[in-house]
Amino acid sequence: MKYLAAYLLLTIGGNASPSAKDITALLATLIAEGTSKLASVPAGGAGAAAAPAAGGAAAKEEKAEEKKEEPKEESDDDMGF
């Protein structure tokens, strides 16, 4: 599939009958460009993993505080029925 795509790119680019050498050269160029772009992508997953862990602890503390602050509801026993 990649060879077909390279062949079509070369024909669109103006090369009416690209050779095997042209196709491999184009693929090598595309792979080299892709590799250089991937090298600049940050791959630090540790920072993202630490944030939810800290946020989870804060969420647990907030839930505990909410439970303590809720007033007791009055019972409906003295409604006069």
Side-chain angles (χ1 to χ4, degrees), residues 1-31:
M1 205 60 185
K2 64 183 175 181
Y3 297 105
L4 178 62
Y7 181 84
L8 292 173
L9 283 172
L10 288 168
T11 55
I12 290 172
N15 191 347
S17 59
S19 66
K21 191 180 276 188
D22 294 334
I23 293 171
T24 55
L26 177 68
L27 288 174
T29 303
L30 291 174
I31 291 172

Side-chain angles (χ1 to χ4, degrees), residues 1-78:
M1 205 60 185
K2 64 183 175 181
Y3 297 105
L4 178 62
Y7 181 84
L8 292 173
L9 283 172
L10 288 168
T11 55
I12 290 172
N15 191 347
S17 59
S19 66
K21 191 180 276 188
D22 294 334
I23 293 171
T24 55
L26 177 68
L27 288 174
T29 303
L30 291 174
I31 291 172
E33 285 182 23
T35 304
S36 67
K37 288 181 181 180
L38 285 176
S40 66
V41 174
K60 288 180 184 177
E61 291 176 9
E62 289 178 13
K63 287 182 182 178
E65 290 177 9
E66 287 177 11
K67 288 181 183 178
K68 292 178 184 177
E69 293 177 8
E70 292 180 10
K72 291 185 177 181
E73 295 182 19
E74 298 179 12
S75 70
D76 294 334
D77 293 337
D78 61 350

